[in-house]
Amino acid sequence: MNIKLLLSTAFIATSLSVSAQDANKTFAITGDGNHDFMWMNIRQVDVTTGKIIQDVYQRDKTAFVMLDADSKKQTLANSRPTETMVAAAAYDKNQNKLFFTPMRVGELRWLDLNAKGDAQKYYTVTSTLLNTNAELNDEAKNFTRMVIAADGNGYALTNDASRLIKFTTGKKVTITDLGAVLDDESNKSVSVKNKCTSWGGDMIADAYNKLYIISANHYVFSLDVDSRVAKQIGYITGLPANFSTNGAAVDKDGNVLVGSATSFSGYYKFSLKDFVATLVEGSDMLYNVSDLANGNLLYQKEADAAKTFAVADFKPVVPVLTN
């Protein structure tokens, strides 16, 4: 009997099982569950069923410490990590960290999901690149879209698309201002900067390091990181009239799961092939959602297949391994 073969087979089976679990691990920023709009709680949701499976952080219930990321000294001891509510979060599956930026606060924060102990550990970095004091109460300048891209970096975008930032996710987090996002010439009447069509929502990423903006009003843009040009590629149909698309995440099959901050009608999913949304039957209707975050990328299966079979025009994205 070939023991090496048995060990290899067992390893592959275990890896596939862990991979499947990771693919379903999605975090939702939610209210308390009384049809309220207090987006301060973090819950884990199964992206395939839309069911809440774990309370990660509950305001006024979960023990935590907040630490300055550089000095490691405790800060904001009497303030919740999500005190001013959160509309932008991103999950780094390689570091097992959940990044987010609270509204009206010029800080990037993250929860270290690997940390041991009774109290959760949150870290924070303050930067004027996230918002100056004069901009904190300006709705246009609040960061409401965030994602970890294929290159391993995080990206966040303001409501008015005037500032796209990049941040590293290692031990020493650095933040870079990439500048304003520009409209593709084909956008015409639907600008990525327009408040009525394009503010709010969320961002997702694909395996080729392209980002996708899903606005609260159902418009979808592709965003090239290098050129910072956003192109409107679709409009989501099939959603209830009061359903704003505030949270978005990719499932293991490459569909996009969306949740709403204004509706309690459950989760919907759609494909970028037709942008037609359908209800995820049996999904959670107790909590509304201001943001969703997981480690899945669009077109991951296609990228893996291209890499496996050495497709000539395949351009792999090598994640940045910081620190």
Side-chain angles (χ1 to χ4, degrees), residues 29 55 87 95 127 139 166 182 209 249 264 299:
I29 308 297
D55 293 327
Q95 307 279 342
S127 173
E139 183 185 4
K166 177 175 72 173
L182 309 173
N209 216 44
F264 295 86
Y299 309 126

Side-chain angles (χ1 to χ4, degrees), residues 238-240 243 265-269 277-285:
L239 295 169
F243 193 102
S265 58
Y267 293 91
Y268 282 73
K269 68 178 180 179
T278 57
L279 176 66
V280 178
E281 295 293 341
S283 60
D284 174 72
M285 295 186 180

Side-chain angles (χ1 to χ4, degrees), residues 138-157:
D138 186 348
E139 183 185 4
K141 305 305 180 186
N142 272 271
F143 286 89
T144 54
R145 290 76 69 95
M146 185 182 290
V147 70
I148 304 297
D151 63 5
N153 292 308
Y155 295 86
L157 182 65

Side-chain angles (χ1 to χ4, degrees), residues 21 34 42 46 64 72-73 85 100 117 147 193 207 224 269 278 307 313:
Q21 292 174 15
N34 300 312
I42 304 170
D46 187 324
F64 70 90
K72 301 299 185 292
K73 293 181 179 179
M85 299 193 285
F100 59 92
V147 70
K193 304 175 185 295
D224 181 270
K269 68 178 180 179
T278 57
K307 186 176 181 180
D313 60 353

